[in-house]
Amino acid sequence: MAAAGQPKLIVAADAEALAQAAAERVMARIGANPGRIAICLTGGSSPKKLYQLLGGDSWRGKIPWDRVHWFIGDERFVAESDPLNNMAVARAAFLDRDAPSGHVHPIPTATENPDQGAAAYARELQAFYGSESLDPARPLFDLVLMGAGPDGHTASLFPGYPEIEEMQRWVVGVPKANVAPFVPRVSLTLPVLSSCREMLFEIAGHDKQPILTRLLNGETLPAVRARSNGETVWLVDQAALPEEIRGPR
C-alpha cells in the first residue's frame, strides 16, 4: 500500500502546548466522522499528557464515547496488569472512566507467544474492518497516534528488523526489542498503520533532538517510512527541534 507525501511539521511552544494541539486534532478527526470512529493509540512517554487531557473534565464530555473504538499500534508482551503495558496506561489515564468496555481493543498478551497475540489481533482488526484486505479508499482508522524512539523506531517496528519489511500480515510478533524495555512486542505493520485518514506523531523534549534531526534529514528509519494514506503530521515542541532550525525563545 503506497503512503502519501511528505509529513506536515507543526511546532508547539512546549510539551503542554503540544498535548493541547494533539487533543484538538483528535477531536477534529472525531468531529469529521458522524459514524463509527476508530482511533489507534500509541504507547511510550509521548502521549501521556494527551491522555491526561482527554480524561480531564474539559475534554471527556466532548467525546462521543458510544461511537469511538480505541485500538493500539503496538504492545509489550507483558500482562495487562504490568506497568509496562501500553494499553493499561491509556486505560488508567482516560479510557476506563468513560469508554464502553467493548470499545477498547487491547492487543492480547495472555497468549503463549507474541505471534499468537499478533494473529488474534489481526483477526479482531479484520472483523472490525469487515475484510481481510485493506482498501486505500476506505481507511481502517480515522487517526493513528505515533511516536519516535531514540533509534527511529515507531510502534514496535525497529530499524533493520524484518518486521519493518512485512507488507502482507496485519500484525506481527517482535521477539526482541531494539531499545529498553527489552521485552518481546506485538506490532501493527506499516500497511495497517498507514490505513488512516491522519497519522499524528508526537515528538517532544530535548532528548528527542538527535533523532528528530535524523528524521528531518530523511534517513530511511521506520518513523520516516510510516506515512498515512491521508495526512501525516509531525507535531513537535521547541525543545525537540534541532538548534539550527529552532525559532527564538
Side-chain angles (χ1 to χ4, degrees):
M1 180 181 293
Q6 292 296 315
K8 177 181 181 181
L9 181 66
I10 298 176
V11 180
D14 51 33
E16 286 69 27
L18 184 147
Q20 183 80 16
E24 291 169 357
R25 295 194 76 89
V26 170
M27 295 309 302
R29 284 295 166 188
I30 289 174
N33 185 351
R36 187 181 68 169
I37 299 155
I39 293 178
C40 186
L41 302 173
T42 186
S45 59
S46 300
K48 288 182 179 179
K49 290 182 183 295
L50 167 62
Y51 295 167
Q52 290 166 357
L53 275 183
L54 295 177
D57 291 340
S58 298
W59 292 90
R60 51 186 288 269
K62 301 176 183 179
I63 298 173
W65 295 98
D66 59 328
R67 292 195 294 114
V68 185
H69 287 255
W70 309 89
F71 296 87
I72 195 151
D74 74 309
E75 188 56 87
R76 294 145 179 181
F77 198 69
V78 296
E80 290 187 8
S81 59
D82 193 300
L84 292 177
N85 188 280
N86 287 329
M87 186 62 99
V89 172
R91 295 187 75 144
F94 78 108
L95 292 177
D96 279 348
R97 181 174 179 179
D98 293 290
S101 60
H103 287 212
V104 179
H105 304 268
I107 290 174
T109 57
T111 56
E112 186 174 335
N113 56 56
D115 287 339
Q116 289 184 1
Y121 206 52
R123 290 192 295 270
E124 183 168 0
L125 287 168
Q126 290 165 358
F128 180 86
Y129 186 66
S131 175
E132 294 182 4
S133 59
L134 293 164
D135 178 357
R138 185 168 70 91
L140 169 60
F141 299 114
D142 292 272
L143 178 69
V144 171
L145 295 172
M146 299 282 262
D151 59 348
H153 82 267
T154 195
S156 281
L157 301 174
F158 298 101
Y161 281 41
E163 293 82 16
I164 187 65
E165 306 300 339
E166 178 60 57
M167 295 293 131
Q168 301 302 318
R169 287 180 291 171
W170 287 39
V171 191
V172 289
V174 183
K176 181 182 177 183
N178 196 44
V179 296
F182 294 101
V183 297
R185 315 287 182 97
V186 177
S187 182
L188 274 60
T189 57
L190 281 183
V192 176
L193 293 165
S194 295
S195 181
C196 60
R197 300 187 185 281
E198 178 176 338
M199 181 179 287
L200 178 62
F201 282 83
E202 288 186 83
I203 304 174
H206 187 269
D207 61 336
K208 291 296 177 74
Q209 266 192 34
I211 192 57
L212 184 57
T213 300
R214 294 173 65 191
L215 298 179
L216 291 172
N217 286 337
E219 285 192 40
T220 54
L221 296 165
V224 170
R225 294 178 61 183
R227 301 280 178 86
S228 170
N229 289 326
E231 184 177 20
T232 303
V233 176
W234 289 357
L235 182 57
V236 308
D237 70 352
Q238 282 278 346
L241 283 178
E243 297 286 350
E244 60 268 23
I245 64 172
R246 191 184 301 186
R249 287 174 289 175

